[in-house]
Amino acid sequence: MNETRSGQRDPDGPVWYQIRLKGHLASRWSAWFGGLTLTREDGGTTLIEGAVIDQSELHGLLQRIRDTGLPLVSLTSAETCGSHQPAAAPPD
Amino acid sequence: MLGPLLGTKLYLPRRKEGMVARDRLVQRLERGAAEKLLLVSAPAGFGKTTLLTDWLSGAPFAAGRARRAAWLSLDRSDNDPRVFWTYVVAALHSVEAGAGRSEPQLVALDQPPTQVLLTALLNDLGSTGDDIVLILDDYHVIDAPEIHDGIAFLLDHMPPRLHVVISSRADPAIPLARLRARGELVEVRAANLRFTPDEAAAYLNGTMGLQLTHADVAALDARTEGWIAALQLAALSIQGRDDAARYIAGFTGDDRYIVDYLVEEVLQRLPADVREFVLHVSLLDRFNSSLCAAVTGSDTAKATLDTLEQANLFLVSLDDRREWYRYHHLFADMLRSRLTQESPAVAAQIHRRASDWYAANGEPAQAVEHAMAGGHLARAADLIELAIPQMRRDRQEAALRRWCEALPLELLRARPVLSNSFAGALLSTGETRGVDGHLLNAERWLDPTVARRESVASGAQLMVVVDEDEFRRVPAGVAVHRAGLALFLGDPAGTVSHARRAMDLLEEGDELGRGAATALIALASWGSGDLETARDAYTKTLVSMERAGHIADILGCSIALADIQITQGRLRDAMRTYQRALLLATSGGGPPLRGTPDMYVGMSAIHREGNDIEGATELLARSRELGEHVGLPQNPYRWRVAMARVREAEADLDGAAGLLDEAEGVYVGDFSPNVRPVAAMRARIHIKLGRIADASDWARGQQLSTADDLSYLREYDHITLARALLARCAIQPTAERLDVATSLLGRLLDAAEAGGRTGSAIELLILQAQAFAMKGSAAAALVPLERALLLAEPEGYVRAFVDGGSSISSLLSLALKRGIAGDYVGDLLAAFGPIPQPVPARQAPIHPLSERELQILRLLGGDLGGPEIARQLVVSLNTVRTHTKSIYSKLGVNDRRAAVRRGEELGLMSWTRDRPGRSSARGE
């Protein structure tokens, strides 16, 4: 569970991440990236997003991205996710 | 861990005919191979490995010098420093027989300190000979910081003949900026590796035999951005098509992940059975036809592999015999992701079959990894349990810990053998957290009634035991681990009681368990001052370890036992302890076992006590000759302390103080109680030098007082305090001061005698004699002196008396006149001899060389000039000159030749350890 104290972000709680790659990945790659959502965007990029439980998982994810050879365009994090739904709704 | 796959990791793939010549890169590679580090850093599929293998297999010479390539393909399982360096040594060994000579027993350590291992390796390599290029392929799989640190250390200290090449998908975590700034790094990066349009044309229309138009080639090159893997896949999917131009236009205009898309294209063109084979095999890191047949169920695996190889379908051959293969990594990743996404159940089944194949073919580690990858965790737990006895013998606690940590707790809970071994693996890797819980898990299955009741009540799991023999060992094992945990937590009483319980539970013939239990009793008893119990327990440990064939442990325990025997005044027993261990260590005929130099250091101290200074010095030289890296963790510290005592006996007090300073810097406790702190030893030297104020500062800093309660652990400190008081009395005698000193000495003596510490008692009786003599009563002084003589004579003590100086020699003369212990006293008086003369030229220098000076002296023995030496040590030429001058003056010589000759006489040149004519000195 991801309890937060006095509105502060739990440093060990899951965080919503958005990772943008150059190139269009088929949606079947979602499983390879730990079940995160894949969205193909205009301009030839793919957005991978979802709750990442901790920094270890994030770095594992980045390693998998590295191993595809696809260029990494951007990486951003949003607020802490609640335990039941994303705290910040992912933008479309 | 080094299974039969070793060879495939060290195999330098052969150059393939007809590959695109990349002359523009070869120059850069040659430049890199002349520097310390050549880094080939680029994403997957950029042709890093191919570039390196093409270049190396075609270039055995560089600038007219012979060059040898030591190749190592890394994978995830190399992320353990022990495994990693073992492979590096094996790779170097494959091109240079001398490399890693001292490796076999070094890799048998539980946790080899990387620097120690590397120093040994570099010593073995030496600075002369052909150039060696060490290639670490796929270095990005390494993320253990210890390994990065080790590489940085290697780069800083390696001889100029060695060059490192790292190929990686990510820049390695080593100080690249520093290497870059010094011009010691050459880089080949993605921008250099991409195929230029000309290279793409040469590849597509030359190597692959396509007949593409200039425009098609340009379109492909632009779409792939020179990404070699994509071009290769494109070529394969175009081969045999009539409509190449239209086909190319079909995918060059969009943003699809081109490698993924083209893999799909290539797969689609394969017959269904081959396509399935290719996909299924992708879960294996390496494969031969037998393994392929096992996982795919195909009876034509060998033929299919041949077909794939002929069709250039991304197979990389891993040996000369065309047995073992792997896929190109990027291709394997594409296939794996596809298989695990589309048919997870099939993937799990393939992992299971691979696990079974590896288990049946004697590769338990691979069997466990595949079972885990396929999610067959219960199967993995079974396999781990079966591997435990072998892992214990091979000291694979770190790997065992990693595996157990990957298992869910519910699985572990049902398995007493695993729970107990997990606890042991945690303890031996220095972790106490969780140990108690795992031991409780194991224990609750040991009472059959409790176990049954619980499973009925909760409907929960039943106990799982795969290895019944191991299960019978669980009760004793749990007790040993409880004892170890208590020792870690600073509870000697608990340690002893658990270890005694273990002794009762151990099976007949479990000598390893018996050795562990007695050693724990010994350590805990030693630390709490119960020397007799400790001595008895260590004696038993040695018997058990010898029966179990654990010679390496015998050496470590022998040092502790001899320490205790010396404190008990049993010098002759201590000598026998060292000699016996030395005999065991050298009887194998191989290279000296780790711990051998420590035996020499220990024997040296006993020779010194018998006033055989020459013999003591010779033994220390022998220890140095073998090298610190062959020593136990305490060797650097113990060697310096022993040498300081020799210097002291030679009346070189400054030299002794300098060595003690060094000793303090390299002190490690290694679980032994610190019963003779270096700071107290230095205070004793200060007392001898007349620096009483410094000694008082030390006593104040230690918060020592004559009114303290006395304990064994602080005995040496308190005797030192008594010495400081007596020294002050010698300068400014007051009755009160003398009374305080004699009262402390009396209490210390009582405590020493009550604790059976005859060695301490002899020292204290001699001090008492000096104190009584200061009080003006020679008759009273002779009483303790006579007792000291009585205790000391059978054990051959000499320096204990001689170090007492003129006051003791007068008392001994008096004793001689009164006919006390005649012959012995006569010998002692002879040992006082004339005041030591300045050290003659053939003996060791008064001022020892510093580590840096030793390093430079050794380099002076080679053929490097001053500027080259400066470059190698990364210091200025001036610094080298300053050190050289200092070396000459310390050695009493005027030139380089004489310095080297003198260094050889003194055994200081042990850079390469087996000099002719010296090796015979060992092992008698």
Side-chain angles (χ1 to χ4, degrees):
Chain A
M1 297 302 279
N2 175 40
E3 301 296 330
T4 57
R5 259 171 286 135
S6 59
Q8 286 204 321
R9 206 174 72 71
D10 175 358
D12 291 323
V15 173
W16 193 266
Y17 275 98
Q18 295 187 317
I19 302 167
R20 193 164 275 114
L21 303 182
K22 190 177 163 205
H24 276 169
L25 271 174
S27 43
R28 64 172 184 81
W29 280 85
S30 164
W32 193 246
F33 294 116
L36 300 193
T37 316
L38 262 59
T39 316
R40 282 178 294 281
E41 301 178 313
D42 293 344
T45 54
T46 300
L47 183 71
I48 302 175
E49 62 182 334
V52 174
I53 53 165
D54 58 15
Q55 290 293 301
S56 287
E57 190 190 10
L58 177 65
H59 284 284
L61 208 56
L62 291 176
Q63 231 170 58
R64 292 205 152 191
I65 289 170
R66 176 194 77 193
D67 290 342
T68 64
L70 288 174
L72 179 62
V73 176
S74 69
L75 168 69
T76 52
S77 73
E79 289 299 294
T80 309
C81 336
S83 41
H84 302 295
Q85 79 249 357
D92 295 319
Chain B
M1 265 309 173
L2 296 185
L5 290 179
L6 168 72
T8 64
K9 290 169 66 77
L10 307 184
Y11 177 72
L12 169 60
R14 295 274 169 272
R15 181 187 169 83
K16 279 193 190 147
E17 289 309 310
M19 296 300 287
V20 175
R22 312 199 72 186
D23 296 336
R24 66 185 176 93
L25 292 178
V26 166
Q27 258 190 338
R28 188 184 279 263
L29 295 173
E30 285 297 343
R31 204 150 52 74
E35 286 302 338
K36 283 192 172 180
L37 178 63
L38 167 63
L39 174 65
V40 182
S41 187
F46 269 69
K48 299 181 289 294
T49 304
T50 309
L51 176 72
L52 289 173
T53 56
D54 282 0
W55 164 57
L56 285 168
S57 54
F61 292 93
R65 280 166 62 83
R67 173 168 67 200
R68 284 175 265 169
W71 182 276
L72 174 55
S73 299
L74 296 165
D75 56 56
R76 292 240 156 259
S77 60
D78 300 327
N79 237 318
D80 174 332
R82 194 185 135 106
V83 176
F84 179 90
W85 292 112
T86 303
Y87 275 122
V88 168
V89 167
L92 289 169
H93 192 78
S94 71
V95 296
E96 173 116 342
R101 266 181 319 207
S102 34
E103 166 258 349
Q105 82 280 3
L106 277 171
V107 295
L109 304 177
D110 16 3
Q111 304 232 292
T114 302
Q115 284 201 352
V116 165
L117 192 150
L118 286 177
T119 309
L121 178 61
L122 293 174
N123 285 351
D124 289 346
L125 269 181
S127 52
T128 51
D130 295 344
D131 270 17
I132 294 180
V133 182
L134 170 67
I135 304 98
L136 304 172
D137 195 28
D138 292 327
Y139 190 85
H140 55 266
V141 298
I142 300 298
D143 47 29
E146 305 93 301
I147 296 181
H148 297 316
D149 293 349
I151 291 287
F153 179 86
L154 180 74
L155 290 169
D156 272 350
H157 293 86
M158 64 192 194
R161 62 182 291 224
L162 184 61
H163 310 275
V164 176
V165 178
I166 288 179
S167 106
S168 178
R169 290 180 188 176
D171 283 4
I174 57 176
L176 291 178
R178 197 176 74 204
L179 290 161
R180 222 177 256 134
R182 288 188 198 151
E184 294 168 343
L185 167 68
V186 173
E187 291 164 273
V188 176
R189 309 194 65 93
N192 312 111
L193 284 164
R194 288 181 204 279
F195 267 174
T196 62
D198 286 347
E199 285 170 333
Y203 172 73
L204 294 167
N205 288 339
T207 309
M208 296 303 287
L210 303 175
Q211 284 160 350
L212 303 181
T213 63
H214 187 71
D216 288 342
V217 170
L220 276 176
D221 190 58
R223 174 64 176 92
T224 58
E225 296 176 328
W227 190 0
I228 295 171
L231 280 165
Q232 280 177 320
L233 283 161
L236 282 171
S237 60
I238 293 166
Q239 261 178 345
R241 282 186 198 270
D242 302 329
D243 55 346
R246 219 175 62 219
Y247 177 71
I248 291 168
F251 69 85
T252 47
D254 62 32
D255 295 315
R256 274 176 295 198
Y257 177 19
I258 190 159
V259 169
D260 187 32
Y261 168 78
L262 289 171
V263 164
E264 175 73 35
E265 290 290 298
V266 171
L267 285 179
Q268 287 309 325
R269 301 184 68 197
L270 296 173
D273 58 331
V274 176
R275 182 165 63 228
E276 190 165 88
F277 181 96
V278 165
L279 271 168
H280 291 184
V281 164
S282 74
L283 293 177
L284 308 166
D285 287 333
R286 306 176 188 76
F287 39 83
N288 62 8
S289 55
S290 161
L291 176 54
C292 288
V295 302
T296 59
S298 156
D299 45 14
T300 56
K302 176 77 184 135
T304 311
L305 281 177
D306 288 346
T307 315
L308 292 179
E309 195 185 16
Q310 278 153 23
N312 252 330
L313 272 166
F314 300 97
L315 281 198
V316 179
S317 178
L318 293 176
D319 53 39
D320 282 329
R321 300 175 304 280
R322 299 175 63 217
E323 278 178 25
W324 285 91
Y325 296 93
R326 67 167 171 84
Y327 283 132
H328 272 281
H329 294 306
L330 184 59
F331 187 60
D333 280 350
M334 291 303 117
L335 298 176
R336 260 175 228 173
S337 71
R338 189 172 293 266
L339 184 64
T340 45
Q341 288 150 25
E342 288 171 357
S343 335
V346 173
Q349 195 183 16
I350 286 170
H351 278 303
R352 174 60 197 250
R353 289 178 186 157
S355 170
D356 291 347
W357 187 90
Y358 276 118
N361 284 274
E363 294 267 358
Q366 295 286 333
V368 170
E369 301 287 356
H370 273 291
M372 287 195 167
H376 310 288
L377 298 179
R379 168 71 180 162
D382 290 353
L383 288 166
I384 297 170
E385 186 167 326
L386 289 172
I388 283 172
Q390 183 64 41
M391 296 187 85
R392 194 168 42 218
R393 271 192 292 278
D394 295 350
R395 302 276 179 88
Q396 290 286 320
E397 285 92 353
L400 183 60
R401 176 180 171 178
R402 233 180 3 256
W403 284 341
C404 289
E405 280 171 341
L407 292 176
L409 212 54
E410 313 89 77
L411 257 181
L412 279 170
R413 262 205 286 268
R415 291 164 192 262
V417 174
L418 265 192
S419 294
N420 175 47
S421 296
F422 190 11
L426 286 169
L427 282 174
S428 50
T429 50
E431 178 62 82
T432 54
R433 259 190 313 177
V435 171
D436 184 57
H438 298 303
L439 291 176
L440 284 173
N441 278 340
E443 279 164 337
R444 81 193 169 105
W445 298 108
L446 297 179
D447 178 349
T449 55
V450 170
R452 210 167 296 133
R453 197 165 55 232
E454 195 172 327
S455 60
V456 170
S458 61
Q461 55 202 157
L462 287 163
M463 177 173 82
V464 181
V465 167
V466 194
D467 186 339
E468 288 293 341
D469 287 345
E470 277 296 307
F471 180 60
R472 279 203 308 280
R473 296 196 188 104
V474 168
V478 168
V480 168
H481 295 146
R482 287 236 170 267
L485 182 61
L487 188 74
F488 260 108
L489 300 177
D491 170 14
T495 307
V496 172
S497 83
H498 285 301
R500 289 206 190 287
R501 198 160 50 79
M503 296 290 285
D504 293 338
L505 293 167
L506 281 164
E507 289 187 316
E508 197 64 36
D510 186 353
E511 296 297 344
L512 218 51
R514 206 166 299 278
T518 50
L520 284 161
I521 293 175
L523 256 178
S525 308
W526 185 14
S528 42
D530 183 356
L531 296 189
E532 199 43 38
T533 304
R535 185 173 69 94
D536 178 57
Y538 270 134
T539 309
K540 287 179 179 148
T541 308
L542 292 181
V543 173
S544 293
M545 290 302 181
E546 191 175 345
R547 285 194 188 138
H550 271 225
I551 309 297
D553 289 318
I554 291 182
L555 298 184
C557 289
S558 293
I559 291 195
L561 175 58
D563 267 3
I564 291 166
Q565 286 167 326
I566 289 169
T567 308
Q568 291 183 322
R570 302 167 187 260
L571 297 189
R572 298 195 192 280
D573 283 350
M575 195 62 169
R576 273 189 288 274
T577 301
Y578 289 130
Q579 282 166 341
R580 171 140 189 74
L582 197 57
L583 194 69
L584 286 170
T586 49
S587 61
L593 271 183
R594 189 169 190 238
T596 308
D598 305 80
M599 300 303 110
Y600 290 133
V601 172
M603 291 161 78
S604 157
I606 298 174
H607 277 268
R608 192 208 68 94
E609 179 50 54
N611 205 33
D612 174 12
I613 304 303
E614 206 175 306
T617 312
E618 159 67 18
L619 284 163
L620 289 177
R622 263 197 229 181
S623 166
R624 196 30 61 111
E625 203 171 299
L626 289 175
E628 283 182 357
H629 59 277
V630 192
L632 295 166
Q634 287 195 326
N635 183 268
Y637 138 75
R638 283 183 178 259
W639 191 92
R640 285 169 177 80
V641 165
M643 192 45 121
R645 300 283 283 145
V646 167
R647 293 275 177 264
E648 185 187 345
E650 291 170 341
D652 172 14
L653 297 178
D654 288 328
L659 280 161
L660 290 177
D661 287 342
E662 287 181 31
E664 199 162 38
V666 293
Y667 175 79
V668 282
D670 200 28
F671 283 104
S672 305
N674 187 11
V675 286
R676 286 164 182 258
V678 176
M681 292 186 200
R682 194 176 34 219
R684 291 180 177 210
I685 298 291
H686 286 163
I687 293 167
K688 278 204 161 181
L689 282 165
R691 289 161 57 180
I692 313 296
D694 287 338
S696 303
D697 285 348
W698 160 81
R700 249 193 309 283
Q702 299 292 316
Q703 299 185 316
L704 283 172
S705 144
T706 53
D708 290 340
D709 286 338
L710 302 181
S711 74
Y712 164 56
L713 284 181
R714 300 213 75 184
E715 180 180 62
Y716 193 83
D717 278 348
H718 281 122
I719 300 179
T720 310
L721 176 66
R723 285 179 177 275
L725 290 171
L726 283 183
R728 194 180 294 163
C729 291
I731 301 163
Q732 284 180 300
T734 69
E736 194 196 341
R737 216 171 253 162
L738 263 174
D739 285 344
V740 171
T742 45
S743 139
L744 176 61
L745 284 171
R747 287 171 61 221
L748 280 165
L749 184 59
D750 289 345
E753 286 180 333
R757 298 189 293 273
T758 307
S760 310
I762 292 171
E763 181 183 3
L764 287 161
L765 286 165
I766 294 169
L767 289 173
Q768 240 179 14
Q770 287 176 300
F772 292 157
M774 271 184 222
K775 283 189 168 177
S777 171
L782 282 184
V783 177
L785 189 67
E786 191 176 352
R787 276 182 64 205
L789 288 166
L790 205 65
L791 294 171
E793 181 174 6
E795 299 292 332
Y797 282 88
V798 178
R799 293 304 311 186
F801 295 92
V802 174
D803 289 340
S806 58
S807 67
I808 293 298
S809 73
S810 325
L811 285 172
L812 284 173
S813 303
L814 191 61
L816 193 63
K817 273 182 211 146
R818 304 222 173 148
I820 298 169
D823 287 354
Y824 183 42
V825 172
D827 291 347
L828 289 179
L829 282 169
F832 277 87
I835 307 297
Q837 296 303 305
V839 183
R842 300 203 66 79
Q843 283 186 14
I846 292 182
H847 298 286
L849 301 193
S850 69
E851 282 303 314
R852 191 54 138 187
E853 287 164 356
L854 275 174
Q855 214 176 359
I856 290 178
L857 176 62
R858 284 164 190 161
L859 289 170
L860 289 174
D863 16 285
L864 295 184
E868 287 157 307
I869 292 176
R871 201 158 38 242
Q872 183 166 348
L873 298 176
V874 202
V875 296
S876 74
L877 185 55
N878 261 335
T879 309
V880 171
R881 286 196 180 123
T882 313
H883 283 306
T884 310
K885 266 187 215 152
S886 162
I887 293 169
Y888 290 178
S889 99
K890 284 181 178 179
L891 296 178
V893 298
N894 297 318
D895 61 26
R896 180 169 177 167
R897 268 173 95 107
V900 171
R901 207 169 41 234
R902 185 96 179 85
E904 274 166 1
E905 286 168 9
L906 296 172
L908 300 175
M909 308 297 287
S910 51
W911 199 254
T912 51
R913 293 182 300 104
D914 275 4
R915 273 170 293 122
R918 282 280 178 162
S919 46
S920 60
R922 215 195 66 232
E924 37 206 7

